[in-house]
Amino acid sequence: MRSSTPPRTFAKFAVVFLLLLRVESGSGTNARTCPSPCACLRELVDCGRLKRGQTLPAVIPEWTVELDLSHNKLQVLDSTLFSKLQHLKEIKLNHNGLEEIPDLGPYASNITVLILANNKITAISEAQLRPFLALETLDLSNNNVGEIKSGSFPALPLKNLFLNNNRLSSLEPGCFTNLSSSLQVLRLNRNRLSNIGPKIFTLPHLQHLELSRNRVRRVDGLTFQHLPSLRSLKMQRNSLNRLMDGCFWGLSNMEVLQLDYNNLTEVSKGWLYGLLSLQQLHLSHNTISKIKSDAWEPCPKLSELNLSSNHLSRLDESGFANLGVLDRLDVGNNRVSFIADGAFRGLSNLQMLDLQNNEISWTIEDMNGPFSALDKLKKLFLQRNQIRSVTKKSFSGLDALQHLDLSNNAIMSIQANAFSQMKNLQELRLNTSSLLCDCQLKWLPIWVAEQTFLYCVNASCAHPQMLQGRSVFAVRQEEFVCEDFPKPQITVQPETQSALKGANVTFVCSAASSSDSPMTFAWKKDNEVLNDAEIHNQAHLRVQGGAGGETEVTEYTTTLQLRNVEFSSEGRYQCVISNHFGSSYSTKARLTVHSEFGVGCVIL
Ligand SMILES: *[C@@H]1O[C@H](CO)[C@@H](O)[C@H](O)[C@H]1NC(C)=O
Ligand SMILES: *[C@@H]1O[C@H](CO)[C@@H](O)[C@H](O)[C@H]1NC(C)=O
Ligand SMILES: *[C@@H]1O[C@H](CO)[C@@H](O)[C@H](O)[C@H]1NC(C)=O
Ligand SMILES: *[C@@H]1O[C@H](CO)[C@@H](O)[C@H](O)[C@H]1NC(C)=O
Ligand SMILES: *[C@@H]1O[C@H](CO)[C@@H](O)[C@H](O)[C@H]1NC(C)=O
Ligand SMILES: *[C@@H]1O[C@H](CO)[C@@H](O)[C@H](O)[C@H]1NC(C)=O
Ligand SMILES: *[C@@H]1O[C@H](CO)[C@@H](O)[C@H](O)[C@H]1NC(C)=O
């Protein structure tokens, strides 16, 4: 008995299986047979990418809803192939050799998606498009269409029109008029458009317009004024160099504007007018060297601003004013060396600031809390700058900072506790082989080892000679000693003074160093280097007695000579004395200038 059970069960299964099969094929004439050599999946008939020797089937099944005929070198289509396809909605004809929009028979009026990309179509013909009464998506990318005339499009319910990579050099005014009540997405990238007239884009429902990789150099005022629903505009890689005042006026719902890889030289309120809803502005890879004052005023909702790879050398006071909701600011890969006090004022919601690959040095070395306005900042990128020293003031106020990247700066000194006020720090990156491993740096290996955050600290000593090349973590505590002072130390500070208009004024500043590395001198007025100033420098050797014996010290004196001072000479003067081991900054001495008649008043 027991042994006969399994075969009987098997037989029962086999019967059920056969019955099922019969039901499948038993639906008789309505069966969804798939024509050879195509493949079918539900309502899709895929006759794309036929192999050599294979030909299209003579009949496409009537039930076809989606048909793929792509990648077949088709040059002509026999319209009778489609004459019974009353259910056809989507047809892919991309990557063939078609030279015109094909005739798809009497049921073309049911087609909603027509993909004709990568063919050889040279013109858009109103007559050829007229049968497609239900068409919503037309892809004509990668063809040879040279122009769009007025009258090219019949009235169609088209929502998506893709014309990337054609040879379009002109768009006739009114050419999109028949699509104006439906068009939502228009792609015209990689064409030859150089002019866009003011009436071309009168498309009240258009949400996305792409014009990248064309030849537009100038955009006139009101060019886009008839696009009230537009949410994004791409105009990358156009050689754009002139954006006239009001050129984006009317785009009051636009959220994303991409203008990367152009030749824009400045940002001004004039061309940003009307962009009330703008959230993202991409301006990387231009030649922007100036941000005009109040430039951002028209864009109160901006949350992401990308100015990377431009020619900015200065970030002026309030240069980012009116950006109270800005979240990410990228100024990497510029030439920034000057950051004014208050440059970041108002950026009270900034979470990420990218300043990598600039020429920043004294901002970090000498300024008092350059980032102190950024109390929500989480990420700060400062790699690849010219930062030689980090002080306690460098990062003050950055209470929320989590990631700090200082790698690829030849950092020589880091003041004790320079990072310790950042209670939320999770990641610190540092790699330098220039450290001055003297008693001042003793704290660093201990502090780093105590941290629980992720750190990528690759730091080795350049000085003293004995420790050269050693990782700072391999130096024993007793080896961090202060026997010399190779970095210049200011010994005489310039003095605050007042002078009569027309007088000659001098400021004097001295520094000493135990190194014979060549010294350079600079004077700054209100943080800006005085390039053409009259400066006299002197050096004299001095022998200095100390606990460790006598050392030879070189003392340097630099004198700034101001002749015939004007009221405009007033300001705060500072000397900067640098050598291989870093820069020292004097205190700032104030100059006040009086007129002869004014003296009495001052005394009063
Ligand atoms: C296809 O078009 C015909 C006539 O144009 C119409 O009667 C039919 O309902 C349409 N079929 C579908 C599935 O839309
Ligand atoms: C609009 O479509 C109609 C017919 O569909 C056509 O005759 C006319 O020229 C088109 N107009 C424009 C401006 O394209
Ligand atoms: C735009 O900038 C590129 C690279 O910076 C330059 O080669 C080109 O000549 C500029 N074009 C114009 C029109 O200024
Ligand atoms: C800014 O643009 C550059 C170049 O297009 C890109 O690499 C970078 O990631 C962007 N920055 C941000 C913060 O997205
Ligand atoms: C930082 O590290 C990279 C390799 O990770 C190295 O090429 C570079 O020279 C280092 N920079 C300094 C300043 O040590
Ligand atoms: C550390 O720095 C040295 C010298 O700059 C470099 O050769 C090495 O590749 C760096 N190591 C890491 C892990 O970055
Ligand atoms: C300032 O210096 C100039 C040039 O040396 C000299 O001619 C002039 O007399 C000086 N002026 C005063 C007020 O000393």
Side-chain angles (χ1 to χ4, degrees):
M1 275 299 279
R2 286 178 111 237
S3 64
S4 66
T5 313
R8 214 189 291 159
T9 314
F10 175 74
K12 223 189 275 172
F13 269 121
V15 168
V16 172
F17 189 54
L18 281 174
L19 279 173
L20 279 176
L21 265 185
R22 185 112 43 88
V23 171
E24 256 311 71
S25 56
S27 40
T29 48
N30 295 329
R32 294 197 164 178
T33 46
C34 190
S36 168
C38 309
C40 302
L41 179 69
R42 293 191 198 92
E43 297 171 325
L44 165 71
V45 176
D46 182 355
C47 311
R49 295 177 196 270
L50 295 184
K51 300 202 181 68
R52 199 179 310 184
Q54 292 182 330
T55 49
L56 285 183
V59 180
I60 308 272
E62 267 176 49
W63 51 263
T64 305
V65 176
E66 280 175 67
L67 177 60
D68 188 342
L69 295 173
S70 66
H71 293 91
N72 281 328
K73 302 200 173 89
L74 300 171
Q75 287 175 351
V76 284
L77 279 180
D78 179 359
S79 68
T80 58
L81 198 60
F82 305 94
S83 59
K84 300 227 168 80
L85 305 187
Q86 58 178 304
H87 301 286
L88 189 63
K89 279 195 134 74
E90 301 190 16
I91 177 160
K92 285 190 184 156
L93 282 161
N94 47 304
H95 292 90
N96 280 295
L98 301 174
E99 287 175 12
E100 47 187 39
I101 294 168
D103 174 2
L104 297 181
Y107 296 110
S109 60
N110 287 343
I111 292 175
T112 58
V113 179
L114 174 57
I115 309 293
L116 286 165
N118 297 84
N119 279 282
K120 295 180 177 161
I121 296 166
T122 52
I124 297 176
S125 139
E126 194 264 341
Q128 288 162 0
L129 277 178
R130 209 180 301 150
F132 295 92
L133 293 172
L135 199 62
E136 291 181 0
T137 298
L138 174 59
D139 187 350
L140 282 164
S141 303
N142 304 310
N143 278 283
N144 298 333
V145 180
E147 59 179 350
I148 304 182
K149 292 212 178 91
S150 163
S152 292
F153 290 100
L156 298 176
L158 208 58
K159 289 183 182 155
N160 306 297
L161 175 58
F162 306 150
L163 281 159
N164 292 342
N165 202 15
N166 276 275
R167 298 182 181 173
L168 290 173
S169 55
S170 78
L171 301 174
E172 209 171 280
C175 64
F176 298 120
T177 304
N178 272 343
L179 309 178
S180 66
S181 59
S182 59
L183 203 61
Q184 294 175 9
V185 181
L186 177 55
R187 298 194 183 139
L188 291 162
N189 303 315
R190 285 182 192 260
N191 278 287
R192 300 172 183 178
L193 299 170
S194 54
N195 263 313
I196 31 181
K199 297 233 171 88
I200 304 270
F201 301 115
T202 302
L203 296 165
H205 302 282
L206 199 70
Q207 295 184 16
H208 305 282
L209 175 58
E210 300 185 7
L211 286 162
S212 291
R213 292 181 190 259
N214 276 281
R215 300 175 183 173
V216 183
R217 294 203 174 169
R218 173 191 160 115
V219 183
D220 286 315
L222 307 181
T223 296
F224 300 109
Q225 65 173 324
H226 302 299
L227 294 171
S229 305
L230 204 68
R231 289 169 48 205
S232 75
L233 172 60
K234 285 194 190 190
M235 286 191 84
Q236 290 138 318
R237 298 183 195 264
N238 266 286
S239 309
L240 275 175
N241 58 17
R242 300 198 67 190
L243 295 178
M244 308 313 282
D245 283 358
C247 65
F248 299 119
W249 198 87
L251 298 176
S252 57
N253 286 305
M254 192 156 74
E255 292 164 5
V256 182
L257 175 55
Q258 289 177 267
L259 295 170
D260 317 73
Y261 293 94
N262 281 294
N263 289 32
L264 300 174
T265 56
E266 64 175 34
V267 182
S268 77
K269 181 157 73 173
W271 64 258
L272 288 168
Y273 262 127
L275 295 173
L276 291 172
S277 305
L278 198 66
Q279 292 172 21
Q280 291 183 27
L281 178 57
H282 299 272
L283 287 166
S284 76
H285 296 276
N286 277 275
T287 52
I288 295 169
S289 60
K290 191 169 170 55
I291 298 172
K292 288 200 170 170
S293 64
D294 292 328
W296 312 111
E297 197 183 275
C299 315
K301 294 196 177 155
L302 208 57
S303 69
E304 187 174 337
L305 174 57
N306 195 333
L307 285 160
S308 69
S309 300
N310 275 285
H311 293 179
L312 289 168
S313 59
R314 9 180 341 122
L315 302 181
D316 288 306
E317 189 180 348
S318 303
F320 298 108
N322 304 303
L323 292 176
V325 302
L326 198 69
D327 182 83
R328 296 153 70 85
L329 174 58
D330 192 339
V331 195
N333 303 299
N334 276 270
R335 303 166 181 174
V336 175
S337 61
F338 179 87
I339 299 182
D341 265 325
F344 302 118
R345 191 179 301 143
L347 294 175
S348 53
N349 278 298
L350 200 68
Q351 310 246 343
M352 192 226 66
L353 174 59
D354 195 337
L355 286 166
Q356 69 174 286
N357 204 12
N358 277 285
E359 294 166 16
I360 294 169
S361 57
W362 63 271
T363 298
I364 302 298
E365 297 170 359
D366 186 44
M367 266 175 90
N368 196 356
F371 307 111
S372 58
L374 305 176
D375 56 5
K376 297 236 174 69
L377 199 70
K378 292 206 171 93
K379 297 187 181 182
L380 177 58
F381 299 101
L382 283 164
Q383 62 267 38
R384 295 179 197 281
N385 275 282
Q386 293 165 9
I387 301 167
R388 307 293 317 273
S389 59
V390 177
T391 74
K392 242 186 294 191
K393 300 178 296 182
S394 304
F395 302 113
S396 62
L398 290 175
D399 296 339
L401 204 70
Q402 296 177 354
H403 299 262
L404 175 61
D405 195 338
L406 285 165
S407 57
N408 291 292
N409 285 284
I411 293 176
M412 196 208 68
S413 64
I414 307 174
Q415 239 176 35
N417 303 323
F419 307 124
S420 53
Q421 78 271 26
M422 295 181 264
K423 301 287 182 223
N424 293 303
L425 206 59
Q426 291 171 6
E427 192 176 341
L428 172 66
R429 288 177 182 268
L430 198 63
N431 87 335
T432 169
S433 50
S434 305
L435 285 175
L436 171 54
C437 293
D438 66 6
C439 62
Q440 316 245 21
L441 205 66
K442 221 172 183 170
W443 69 278
L444 182 67
I446 302 176
W447 181 80
V448 170
E450 278 170 357
Q451 300 310 309
T452 50
F453 59 71
L454 175 69
Y455 54 87
C456 297
V457 179
N458 182 7
S460 54
C461 309
H463 196 87
Q465 202 88 48
M466 277 231 327
L467 299 176
Q468 189 170 18
R470 290 252 295 272
S471 161
V472 71
F473 301 108
V475 176
R476 291 192 310 274
Q477 280 290 293
E478 63 270 26
E479 288 179 290
F480 289 101
V481 291
C482 284
E483 279 179 343
D484 57 0
F485 53 108
K487 179 178 165 178
Q489 290 180 354
I490 304 279
T491 53
V492 176
Q493 305 278 5
E495 283 177 6
T496 286
Q497 46 193 308
S498 51
L500 285 180
K501 182 173 178 294
N504 294 340
V505 171
T506 58
F507 284 106
V508 180
C509 179
S510 297
S513 159
S514 63
S515 152
D516 56 5
S517 133
M519 205 65 81
T520 58
F521 307 88
W523 281 88
K524 298 214 266 179
K525 179 191 175 209
D526 295 329
N527 289 331
E528 306 224 36
V529 174
L530 295 167
N531 284 315
D532 304 317
E534 182 182 342
I535 296 172
H536 304 283
N537 304 316
Q538 283 179 320
H540 40 94
L541 271 181
R542 201 179 70 192
V543 175
Q544 186 177 298
E550 291 190 336
T551 35
E552 237 178 33
V553 166
T554 318
E555 195 163 82
Y556 301 85
T557 298
T558 175
T559 306
L560 171 67
Q561 178 76 59
L562 302 174
R563 296 195 190 274
N564 194 13
V565 295
E566 306 274 345
F567 292 116
S568 63
S569 310
E570 287 193 335
R572 300 192 304 152
Y573 290 81
Q574 179 186 34
C575 79
V576 185
I577 303 185
S578 316
N579 67 5
H580 176 69
F581 296 94
S583 298
S584 283
Y585 301 82
S586 72
T587 54
K588 291 170 183 159
R590 186 177 288 281
L591 174 65
T592 347
V593 177
H594 304 287
S595 70
E596 234 164 320
F597 307 110
V599 175
C601 300
V602 169
I603 292 167
L604 268 176

